[in-house]
């Protein structure tokens, strides 16, 4: 008995010593890129007593655009539809989304936002003018889903609205009046118009973006030109009544560091800055070979995940620029469009961006959310593109049918991180090698919630090998552990209308907790969330 105790102690000491020496003799990792590890075991220390930053629930935000079947069919079926709905918004989709606790929803675009004139989307539906949705398939937009319908949707979901105003083809007056229409509680032309359209009380809207991708579809502007426009538009976005706007500037595409530099210099820094957030966009595909969402080989798997991991470097580099102008981190980086972008499903409109969603997409979501968590000192919101039927969707619909995707399940499993305190991690990951290239096999983030419960979300990116993880939970006194896993036999596994439960989370129990030493084996190509009480 004594000997067993002794050897346990000895093992613990040796283990901690080997972790510490491995980390400090080689490379130290925190919040993002894993250090290389030549051994076959992934080693990490979670500093359970050193949490300082809160993971904003808005990192788990979403995006809905007038694009393809996202708004129409995805949410909006109209009051007279045989599909069960509440004031025209389908009930099954709302119910499913409530389970992942959508915190914030961005609307109406995307590229559509800089062509959208909000006054066309209010008042009696039969009198609303139509327009052509030139960005997305050239289809006719009847404006039946407008401001009232969007804010009703947010109320049904229990989430905050995030509205993107039109800079590219709109005016300052138009944007100013939109804010007045929605948020002013006194007597004014716009507030009275809102009342005439059936809404007595103003709504609360905090998050407001001044244009979308104004370097591209939102006007093809230079950063200098847009920075001036931003200052001008932001000046007239008023805080009516007790509503307080959080103003978001169009940020860079991927690695356009000059855009960030100019925006921060001209409009982001200083005490009189009118900017609360700068919006970064980053999409990842699988490269030039196969770009199908469901028919791919390991090269596509590897390439997709390699590209997904690059968001870590992008956030790090943009943050460094922001630090120069805003060292107190008053301006947040919002990744308000991100996700996997594949080919459209065969036989569907190319302009509708309807794609399937496989286990590979679940891994993209898992690593991206871990990276956002680990950067939560600067990243205060992220909005995956898009919520229903477009790009890396949570939900796919076909007529009255609805299925949830592997990505949906990751958002459901990770909701334990909402508003929890980020725990710093030192990780030494093994490599997942493919050909002459390699990426870290294991990707992780951890948090502690208000009740003291620790959650660790771990991804094993390697589709062919399990990953053994040894972890010291420093400063913790764990009493119990449980887990859930999302994985499947095939890399390409996905849910269909015929087989909706091919990829779904199940209980995971391949772990051991001895004192504060946790060991676990992550199956190949898996997302695991552990709960430690
Ligand atoms: O999400 C699809 C499109 O991608 C958005 O409309 C645009 O902002 C981005 O280029």
């Amino acid at each position: 008995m004594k000997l067993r105790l002794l050897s346990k102690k000895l093992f613990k000491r040796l283990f901690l010593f080997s972790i510490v020496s491995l980390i400090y003799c080689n490379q130290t990792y925190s919040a993002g890129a894993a250090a290389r590890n030549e051994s076959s075991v992934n080693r990490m220390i979670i500093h359970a007593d050193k949490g300082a930053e809160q993971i904003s629930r808005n990192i788990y935000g979403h995006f809905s655009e007038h694009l393809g079947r996202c708004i129409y069919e995805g949410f909006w079926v109209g009051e007279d539809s045989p599909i069960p709905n509440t004031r025209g918004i389908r009930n099954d989709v709302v119910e499913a989304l409530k389970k992942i606790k959508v915190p914030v929803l961005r609307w109406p675009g995307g590229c559509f936002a800089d062509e959208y004139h909000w006054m066309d989307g209010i008042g009696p539906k039969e009198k609303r003018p139509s327009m052509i949705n030139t960005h997305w398939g050239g289809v006719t937009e009847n404006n039946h889903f407008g401001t009232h319908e969007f804010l009703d949707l947010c109320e049904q979901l229990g989430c905050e609205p995030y509205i993107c105003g039109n800079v590219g083809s709109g005016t300052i007056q138009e944007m100013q009046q939109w804010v007045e229409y929605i948020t002013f509680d006194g007597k004014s032309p716009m507030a009275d118009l809102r009342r005439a359209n059936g809404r007595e009380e103003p709504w609360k809207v905090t998050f407001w973006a001044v244009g979308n991708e104004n370097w591209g579809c939102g006007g093809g502007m230079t950063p200098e030109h847009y920075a001036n426009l931003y200052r001008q538009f932001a000046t007239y976005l008023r805080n009516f009544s007790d509503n307080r706007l959080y103003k978001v500037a169009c940020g860079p595409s991927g690695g356009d560091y000059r855009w960030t530099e100019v925006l921060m210099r001209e409009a982001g820094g200083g005490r009189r800055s009118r900017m609360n957030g700068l919006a970064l966009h980053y999409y990842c595909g699988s490269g030039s070979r196969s770009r199908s969402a469901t028919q791919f080989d390991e090269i596509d798997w590897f390439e997709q995940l390699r590209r997904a991991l690059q968001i870590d470097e992008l956030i790090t580099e943009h943050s460094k620029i922001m630090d120069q102008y805003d060292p107190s981190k008053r301006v947040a980086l919002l990744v308000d469009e991100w996700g996997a972008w594949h080919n459209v499903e065969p036989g569907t409109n190319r302009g509708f961006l309807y794609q399937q969603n496989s286990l590979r997409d679940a891994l993209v979501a898992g690593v991206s959310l871990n990276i956002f968590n680990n950067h939560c000192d600067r990243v205060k919101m992220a909005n995956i593109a898009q919520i229903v039927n477009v790009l890396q969707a949570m939900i796919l619909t076909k007529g009255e049918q609805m299925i949830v995707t592997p990505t949906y399940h990751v958002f459901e499993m990770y909701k334990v991180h909402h508003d929890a305190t980020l725990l710093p991690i030192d990780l030494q990951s093994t490599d997942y090698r493919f050909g002459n290239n390699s990426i870290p096999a294991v990707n992780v983030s951890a948090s502690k919630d208000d009740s003291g419960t620790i959650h660790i979300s771990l991804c094993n990116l390697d589709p062919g090998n399990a990953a053994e993880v040894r972890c010291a939970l420093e400063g913790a006194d764990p009493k119990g552990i449980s887990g859930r896993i999302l994985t499947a036999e095939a890399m390409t596994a996905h849910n269909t209308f015929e087989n909706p439960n091919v990829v779904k989370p199940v209980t995971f129990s391949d772990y051991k907790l001895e004192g504060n030493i946790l060991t676990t084996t992550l199956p190949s190509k898996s997302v695991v969330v552990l709960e430690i009480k």
Side-chain angles (χ1 to χ4, degrees), residues 49-287:
D49 51 353
K50 299 234 169 81
E53 299 287 342
Q54 194 184 39
I55 298 170
S56 169
R57 74 177 77 172
N58 293 329
I59 281 177
Y60 293 80
H62 295 265
F63 171 35
S64 57
E65 180 167 9
H66 288 241
L67 195 179
R69 298 186 302 111
C70 180
I71 296 295
Y72 300 104
E73 288 187 44
F75 281 122
W76 181 256
V77 288
E79 292 92 338
D80 301 330
S81 170
I83 298 174
N85 68 83
T86 302
R87 295 179 294 280
I89 296 167
R90 57 191 293 173
N91 295 341
D92 53 353
V93 171
V94 168
E95 280 318 304
L97 290 173
K98 275 167 130 175
K99 295 194 183 120
I100 60 170
K101 291 194 188 313
V102 172
V104 61
L105 184 60
R106 180 171 179 254
W107 174 84
C111 295
F112 181 78
D114 283 274
E115 241 183 354
Y116 181 62
H117 298 285
W118 69 272
M119 282 204 186
D120 294 345
I122 55 171
K125 296 204 173 58
E126 63 286 359
K127 289 205 179 133
R128 297 186 191 178
S130 312
M131 65 180 282
I132 305 169
N133 191 335
T134 57
H135 286 292
W136 307 119
V139 294
T140 304
E141 159 70 56
N142 65 14
N143 276 309
H144 282 192
F145 189 91
T147 302
H148 290 247
E149 291 75 21
F150 171 64
L151 292 166
D152 186 15
L153 169 63
C154 291
E155 284 178 349
Q156 291 189 36
L157 289 171
C159 75
E160 287 211 56
Y162 172 16
I163 290 183
C164 183
N166 179 347
V167 172
S169 71
T171 64
I172 293 172
Q173 183 185 19
E174 182 184 16
M175 200 186 291
Q176 185 187 32
Q177 288 181 330
W178 201 4
V179 175
E180 180 187 325
Y181 183 92
I182 295 172
T183 63
F184 189 56
D185 69 354
K187 217 183 143 27
S188 81
M190 289 302 117
D192 289 348
L193 184 58
R194 182 191 71 232
R195 290 188 190 99
N197 287 330
R199 174 80 185 198
E200 181 60 36
E201 293 301 315
W203 289 277
K204 278 257 161 33
V205 175
T206 302
F207 301 107
W208 196 283
V210 178
N212 168 75
E213 297 194 352
N214 302 92
W215 37 260
C217 65
M221 301 174 197
T222 63
E224 289 81 2
H225 180 62
Y226 173 75
N228 280 336
L229 275 184
Y230 176 81
R231 291 163 64 124
Q232 199 179 352
F233 271 74
T235 304
Y236 296 97
L237 294 178
R238 305 295 187 198
N239 287 325
F240 290 116
S241 314
D242 58 350
N243 194 66
R244 293 289 168 271
L245 291 174
Y246 181 103
K247 298 173 195 172
V248 182
C250 163
S253 168
D256 183 355
Y257 298 116
R258 185 164 178 274
W259 184 278
T260 298
E261 171 81 36
V262 174
L263 261 289
M264 288 305 293
R265 189 183 67 220
E266 301 299 323
R271 282 181 49 232
R272 299 234 309 267
S273 155
R274 295 189 180 92
M275 189 192 294
N276 300 107
L278 184 69
L280 165 69
H281 288 184
Y282 179 67
Y283 288 98
C284 55
S286 64

